[in-house]
Amino acid sequence: MAERKQKEQTIQKVLRAIEHKLDEKRIRQKELINLCEQKGYMISQSELSRILAHKVALGLYPALALCDVLEIDLNQILHPERKERDRFNLSQKAFVTDPGRSEIKNYLGCYHALFYATDFREDKLLHGRLRLLPGSDGNHTYCSAFFLLDTEDTDMRGRPIRKEYFGQFFVSPQMGIAYCFLVNNKLGEVCSIEFRHRTFFYKQVECRLGMVLTTSTGEKKTPAAHKMVIFRGKLEDAQEERLAHMLKLDNTEVSIESGILGNIGETEEEKEVFRKLAELLPQTAYCTVNTALLKSVNRKLSNVQISSLFSRMRQYSEEDYTLHLDELEDEMVFDLLRRDPDILGKVPFRHPGALGDMASQKNKRGRE
């Protein structure tokens, strides 16, 4: 009895998948019969009609034929757990993907993005636009992510070079992390951004500091990581400069020459704090060593020897093994932006395809 019930449930699963695919592709019975014939399957109009009307049970042959013609993977229907093991899949129990849920809802909208170029030969700030929007594939709703990067460079014809990325934004409440996966199919590039997550019930997310794992630009491509800040509204030059300092890769500790420390600060109160700090701290000298310096000491050093020397130096290095984005840094970003409340205004949404006029929107700085 139990086996019979399980068999009927399995047949109904397959039949529902076939009916859904027919509705999705808007395929009529006559067209489906023709598609079956093209693939060498023989199913009569009357048999198909009775199957879809639930007057006869779906047999093995018509099930295999219809699934093949409609490109339905029977393994995904009969063994959904294998799909989770075999390839990238977001479990609805572990991740929040529905843009209507409170975990995502207040992230939706348009953000400006600010980060440093990943080309080691360049030291410039780049600007982009991140848009998080509700999406649907017919079965599920999700949060679409669109990112437009202005490289501030031009091609041989003098046209601005911009890169477009598309992907998905989702949240892991268990980890307390918001993820944004982005793909550029033209370049064959995948980027991921992680933000420290907090659920906002009554207000929109105004700004967030994220960690990006991407591929460096320039002639030599290498894996690269950097910080990126997203915010609603636009920044003036002075505001952007203050915010840019948050993009340095440090772990809430800053290494700075003592001679410089005693001479920084804008207000008298700030200057006094830094002067006292310089007097309090011990005078420690640090050395910066790179491959070129090692070569200048001994030009006969091989790459293997240089690697060994770096390994020995790293034993005594004070650099951390990990970099963490904590709550304090998000608060710092928000406080910097709050110095001028006007920059936290809302930006109207436009689809990335309509962003071709970004250059025309640039302000007196020549960039956004």
Side-chain angles (χ1 to χ4, degrees):
M1 190 72 178
E3 292 181 0
R4 182 177 178 182
K5 185 177 181 181
Q6 185 179 10
K7 180 180 178 182
E8 291 175 352
Q9 290 175 344
T10 301
I11 291 173
Q12 288 304 312
K13 281 184 182 179
V14 177
L15 188 55
R16 282 196 299 270
I18 292 172
E19 291 172 338
H20 174 75
K21 188 65 71 171
L22 290 174
D23 290 339
E24 181 184 306
K25 294 189 174 185
R26 297 180 180 180
I27 298 176
R28 297 186 176 183
Q29 291 186 26
K30 186 176 181 180
E31 183 181 356
L32 183 57
I33 292 296
N34 291 334
L35 291 173
C36 288
E37 290 177 354
Q38 291 174 15
K39 284 211 165 188
Y41 297 113
M42 301 303 295
I43 299 178
S44 67
Q45 175 75 51
S46 60
E47 182 184 7
L48 178 61
S49 180
R50 290 197 302 271
I51 290 173
L52 297 178
H54 296 216
K55 292 182 178 180
V56 295
L58 177 65
L60 179 60
Y61 178 80
L64 294 174
L66 295 175
C67 286
D68 183 22
V69 168
L70 295 173
E71 298 180 343
I72 296 173
D73 188 349
L74 279 172
N75 278 324
Q76 291 186 15
I77 300 172
L78 303 178
H79 306 286
E81 72 283 354
R82 293 181 184 173
K83 178 183 175 184
E84 295 185 5
R85 294 198 305 264
D86 294 344
R87 61 179 182 176
F88 177 78
N89 180 63
L90 294 178
S91 167
Q92 299 302 304
K93 294 180 180 179
F95 297 97
V96 177
T97 59
D98 184 355
R101 290 271 298 269
S102 57
E103 291 90 341
I104 293 181
K105 186 176 181 180
N106 290 325
Y107 279 98
L108 299 177
C110 171
Y111 299 86
H112 287 264
L114 188 68
F115 59 97
Y116 272 95
T118 54
D119 189 339
F120 70 94
R121 297 169 301 178
E122 298 180 329
D123 184 20
K124 68 177 181 179
L125 280 170
L126 294 178
H127 303 76
R129 296 282 189 89
L130 175 66
R131 302 182 189 275
L132 304 177
L133 304 168
S136 175
D137 60 5
N139 294 324
H140 303 96
T141 56
Y142 55 90
C143 181
S144 296
F146 305 94
F147 188 79
L148 178 64
L149 167 62
D150 183 2
T151 66
E152 299 187 3
D153 201 358
T154 57
D155 61 16
M156 292 184 293
R157 298 182 180 180
R159 297 173 300 189
I161 298 175
R162 303 187 186 92
K163 298 179 181 179
E164 290 187 359
Y165 299 80
F166 303 86
Q168 186 175 350
F169 178 89
F170 51 94
V171 170
S172 170
Q174 298 177 84
M175 294 291 102
I177 299 294
Y179 299 91
C180 186
F181 281 14
L182 297 165
V183 175
N184 184 311
N185 287 318
K186 183 177 180 180
L187 299 175
E189 182 182 3
V190 177
C191 304
S192 68
I193 313 172
E194 292 191 16
F195 302 97
R196 194 182 60 83
H197 170 65
R198 172 189 163 190
T199 299
F200 292 80
F201 292 100
Y202 303 106
K203 294 183 178 180
Q204 284 188 313
V205 176
E206 295 291 355
C207 56
R208 226 61 186 154
L209 190 65
M211 180 65 72
V212 183
L213 181 61
T214 184
T215 306
S216 64
T217 56
E219 183 177 351
K220 192 174 182 180
K221 307 297 183 186
T222 59
H226 63 84
K227 289 182 181 179
M228 181 174 75
V229 63
I230 61 171
F231 51 91
R232 301 183 194 264
K234 298 171 66 174
L235 299 179
E236 298 297 333
D237 282 341
Q239 295 163 334
E240 184 176 287
E241 289 175 7
R242 287 200 300 265
L243 197 59
H245 299 316
M246 295 296 300
L247 299 175
K248 289 199 172 182
L249 295 178
D250 57 60
N251 260 337
T252 67
E253 290 187 353
V254 178
S255 298
I256 186 171
E257 292 182 19
S258 56
I260 296 176
L261 182 63
N263 294 293
I264 61 178
E266 295 182 2
T267 66
E268 287 301 320
E269 183 179 11
E270 287 181 348
K271 291 177 181 178
E272 181 64 18
V273 170
F274 287 123
R275 276 198 296 268
K276 289 183 178 180
L277 194 59
E279 295 170 1
L280 176 66
L281 294 173
Q283 304 295 308
T284 304
Y286 288 88
C287 300
T288 301
V289 182
N290 55 35
T291 302
L293 284 172
L294 287 174
K295 283 283 190 181
S296 69
V297 173
N298 185 345
R299 296 187 178 278
K300 295 182 179 180
L301 288 174
S302 67
N303 290 337
V304 174
Q305 289 174 312
I306 289 175
S307 297
S308 178
L309 291 171
F310 266 104
S311 177
R312 296 194 184 281
M313 286 190 292
R314 286 190 172 114
Q315 294 179 39
Y316 305 96
S317 170
E318 296 185 5
E319 301 295 333
D320 292 319
Y321 287 98
T322 59
L323 175 67
H324 303 272
L325 299 185
D326 57 22
E327 183 178 359
L328 178 61
E329 289 193 278
D330 274 323
E331 289 179 357
M332 287 179 178
V333 169
F334 187 66
D335 288 340
L336 286 172
L337 291 172
R338 285 183 64 184
R339 292 183 183 183
D340 185 347
D342 291 338
I343 64 176
L344 291 179
K346 305 298 182 287
V347 180
F349 166 75
R350 287 189 299 169
H351 189 276
L355 292 178
D357 59 346
M358 179 182 272
S360 65
Q361 297 175 5
K362 291 188 178 180
N363 58 19
K364 59 184 178 182
R365 294 175 291 163
R367 63 187 186 188
E368 287 188 354

